[in-house]
Amino acid sequence: MLSLIMSNDNFINDIHPLVRSFFPGEEIEVSFFPEDKESGSGNGTFRTRIIRDSALILDLSLADISDTDRLRMKNILKCRVYEELSSVLKVKLPWGTLTGIRPVRLAINHMEQGFTHKDTVEYMESFYLVSPEKSALAADIAVKEMNIIKDVNYPGSFSLYIGIPFCPTTCLYCSFTSNAIGLWKTKVGEYLDCLEMELKFVSELFSGRKPVSIYIGGGTPTTLNEEELKRLFDSVHRLFDFDGIREFTVEAGRPDSITKEKLRILRENGADRISVNPQSMNQETLKIIGRQHSVEDTVRAFQDARDAGFDNINMDIILGLPGEGEKEVSHTISEIAKLKPDDLTVHSLAVKRGSRLMEEIEKYKVYSNSNTDVMLEIAALGAREMGLEPYYLYRQKNMSGNFENTGWARPGKEGIYNILMMEEIHSIPAVGAGTVSKCVHTRTDIRRNGNVKDVNGYISRIDEMLDRKRALFKQF
Ligand code: SF4
């Protein structure tokens, strides 16, 4: 147990996640020095103490910084805590004091003020103590993203997300809205009825506008059978204008849900980008993470997708899976390289609340994985050798090694929806159980509203889901 004691709660939302980055997976109890709390601001002195299992790890007292502005104060405090912890623990965090999930946004903001790529790298290194490699990565991606999205950032543009909350089985690390299709088969019809109601509602809310990109995700959309998929596509085509659409992605995801006939239906209905996600090309790992397909199934599904005419296929992998190290990751990368995917999304394992992995964390010991940086390098080198370049990046809480997820793509094959989602430049209405709609008024005024996760709840409360959307988008 870790104890974090601070002067007051002024910077708790900044210091707490930074401390957690140094101690992933450990429980942190937060409290305040009683005398400081009573005097409100702590008289301009900020004190931070960290105790771990009765041992004092950090005792920091900073005076005379209260006359600087809040951002500077916050940064001074974070840098000092970082430096002290880094020195005591002999650990450097790749992303320095950055605890938010969007380092690329920071780089874009800096460049939009007229700073160059070089200035931005230096700024991230000096102000946030980000490593030179990660600073350069964020700046490279910022340049690429700005270039890709410059044409789609027009007034009234939007993208559409459709969630299918069913999967063949539930993966060990899953925290998404996912239900084993075998148990929910009889509910799919009603679910699609509700989805159609929401889609119709969104088409009316956004009438006269054309979506830039559509993303059908989940879950695993291809757990729907052929008839159900056709029904969903018919609705989408009937309700939205596809003229000028830049990208239509369907996450085929699990190889065991993909058939030649489903791939044909996807192509026939305009899907031009799909994901076939192995996560690992090691059979033993697939078993551990609760997948019932084989490595051969992944290869077959990928080749079937190529044969069906898909020229933009993404593959997702996860680094830091239980039992996996450098050898296993090297094997996965070399097997994937043989398939020549157009995109490769490299995730660092995140232990999320609600996942089976979180519940059974003691059993898997994934936080003891100290070589995620080496595995990331193996994946990055492999991706570059496949002709792919990094084009989007985000971070999550409780990631293995405190690293990041990076999307790699062949130039021209970048997933536009992924960038739009991350950079929040336009609204994304989302339909289906567990989805979250985003209304972007301005860069600094972004509102969200989510649907209930539970499929039965979603079906029985569909009118309320429509009301939530009406309220969210009323000023759009
Ligand atoms: S395929 Fe994705 S959504 Fe489905 S159970 Fe696995 S992690 Fe969850």
Side-chain angles (χ1 to χ4, degrees):
M1 163 70 85
L2 209 71
S3 177
L4 169 65
I5 311 162
M6 290 186 61
S7 301
N8 51 53
D9 57 7
N10 267 351
F11 293 101
I12 190 69
N13 292 334
D14 306 296
I15 300 303
H16 181 267
L18 179 60
V19 173
R20 194 179 49 210
S21 301
F22 278 97
F23 302 97
E26 290 194 36
E27 216 176 297
I28 303 177
E29 188 187 76
V30 179
S31 59
F32 302 97
F33 293 109
E35 65 275 23
D36 288 353
K37 193 141 198 270
E38 275 159 27
S39 65
S41 68
N43 295 325
T45 299
F46 290 89
R47 295 204 290 162
T48 307
R49 187 178 293 165
I50 297 172
I51 299 167
R52 188 194 207 185
D53 298 332
S54 311
L56 184 66
I57 303 273
L58 175 97
D59 196 5
L60 187 67
S61 184
L62 287 177
D64 304 329
I65 59 166
S66 55
D67 56 346
T68 52
D69 68 49
R70 186 175 163 84
L71 180 66
R72 275 194 73 76
M73 261 163 69
K74 177 174 96 172
N75 200 48
I76 291 169
L77 198 58
K78 283 180 87 171
C79 285
R80 285 299 308 276
V81 170
Y82 176 91
E83 280 160 350
E84 296 283 333
L85 281 177
S86 178
S87 153
V88 172
L89 301 169
K90 311 230 174 316
V91 169
K92 282 198 172 180
L93 301 178
W95 290 99
T97 63
L98 284 185
T99 48
I101 61 169
R102 295 188 176 90
V104 175
R105 165 92 339 245
L106 199 74
I108 291 178
N109 286 348
H110 203 62
M111 288 179 185
E112 282 178 344
Q113 291 170 47
F115 291 99
T116 63
H117 180 283
K118 185 166 172 281
D119 297 333
T120 305
V121 171
E122 284 169 7
Y123 168 69
M124 294 186 76
E125 284 182 48
S126 59
F127 206 68
Y128 296 104
L129 310 180
V130 178
S131 74
E133 296 76 27
K134 298 300 178 196
S135 298
L137 179 64
D140 287 352
I141 292 177
V143 171
K144 201 173 243 292
E145 285 193 358
M146 285 162 74
N147 198 29
I148 292 170
I149 59 182
K150 66 179 188 299
D151 297 337
V152 293
N153 187 15
Y154 54 82
S157 69
F158 75 102
S159 290
L160 173 67
Y161 181 85
I162 302 169
I164 305 296
F166 307 111
C167 284
T169 55
T170 301
C171 302
L172 176 70
Y173 47 79
C174 183
S175 66
F176 300 111
T177 308
S178 160
N179 303 276
I181 186 72
L183 303 172
W184 287 87
K185 263 188 170 35
T186 55
K187 283 281 178 183
V188 174
E190 274 181 87
Y191 184 79
L192 291 178
D193 291 343
C194 294
L195 216 50
E196 280 167 12
M197 285 170 76
E198 270 205 292
L199 284 167
K200 184 163 182 299
F201 192 75
V202 169
S203 74
E204 286 162 5
L205 280 175
F206 287 78
S207 87
R209 301 186 179 114
K210 299 170 184 177
V212 171
S213 67
I214 299 179
Y215 194 104
I216 307 185
T220 305
T222 39
T223 49
L224 299 183
N225 67 29
E226 286 79 0
E227 286 312 307
E228 292 158 349
L229 275 174
K230 275 192 215 156
R231 181 182 162 188
L232 175 61
F233 282 125
D234 282 351
S235 306
V236 177
H237 278 283
R238 197 174 59 249
L239 294 166
F240 295 93
D241 189 343
F242 272 58
D243 191 21
I245 196 162
R246 290 269 301 265
E247 179 183 279
F248 185 7
T249 298
V250 179
E251 250 185 75
R254 298 273 288 259
D256 43 346
S257 69
I258 301 172
T259 65
K260 285 185 179 170
E261 177 60 6
K262 288 182 191 178
L263 289 165
R264 194 188 60 75
I265 293 167
L266 262 54
R267 280 299 294 157
E268 231 176 52
N269 282 279
D272 55 9
R273 183 174 180 273
I274 61 166
S275 284
V276 177
N277 298 331
Q279 312 305 3
S280 167
M281 293 296 263
N282 296 291
Q283 191 59 51
E284 189 54 30
T285 310
L286 294 180
K287 215 160 83 190
I288 293 172
I289 65 175
R291 291 190 157 211
Q292 286 176 345
H293 64 84
S294 64
V295 171
E296 289 71 33
D297 288 334
T298 304
V299 174
R300 176 204 47 83
F302 186 95
Q303 282 163 347
D304 285 350
R306 276 282 190 251
D307 292 346
F310 282 96
D311 63 2
N312 194 350
I313 308 177
N314 171 69
M315 300 187 99
D316 278 8
I317 61 167
I318 301 177
L319 308 181
L321 287 170
E324 291 221 340
E326 293 154 40
K327 188 170 136 249
E328 289 75 17
V329 171
S330 294
H331 175 73
T332 291
I333 291 291
S334 66
E335 289 305 298
I336 285 178
K338 291 178 193 162
L339 298 171
K340 301 189 179 66
D342 308 282
D343 299 42
L344 177 70
T345 311
V346 180
H347 298 264
S348 301
L349 181 69
V351 183
K352 296 190 197 157
R353 231 180 295 154
S355 66
R356 206 152 42 84
L357 180 58
M358 177 70 108
E359 282 164 24
E360 300 172 20
I361 191 70
E362 286 306 314
K363 184 168 152 195
Y364 294 103
K365 304 203 181 336
V366 285
Y367 284 126
S368 62
N369 217 331
S370 58
N371 55 350
T372 312
D373 54 341
V374 183
M375 294 194 277
L376 265 174
E377 270 172 39
I378 293 168
L381 187 68
R384 287 196 194 279
E385 283 174 1
M386 290 179 222
L388 313 180
E389 294 174 6
Y391 77 95
Y392 93 111
L393 179 154
Y394 67 100
R395 303 177 65 218
Q396 290 169 287
K397 290 177 185 167
N398 296 332
M399 293 183 92
S400 174
N402 195 31
F403 285 93
E404 70 276 338
N405 299 326
T406 307
W408 297 76
R410 214 172 290 295
K413 303 282 183 183
E414 298 88 357
I416 293 167
Y417 175 87
N418 291 333
I419 301 175
L420 294 168
M421 177 70 184
M422 212 43 65
E423 297 315 322
E424 307 190 309
I425 62 164
H426 74 191
S427 291
I428 305 185
V431 301
T435 61
V436 178
S437 292
K438 192 188 294 181
C439 182
V440 178
H441 287 273
T442 65
R443 273 276 171 79
T444 51
D445 183 4
I446 297 167
R447 300 172 202 182
R448 293 174 177 78
N449 207 328
N451 282 349
V452 292
K453 278 187 161 195
D454 170 63
V455 172
N456 282 327
Y458 170 75
I459 291 170
S460 64
R461 292 161 61 190
I462 186 64
D463 290 338
E464 185 192 325
M465 303 304 111
L466 303 185
D467 287 342
R468 289 183 188 188
K469 274 201 175 53
R470 188 179 293 113
L472 180 67
F473 291 108
K474 67 172 183 267
Q475 293 157 358
F476 182 70

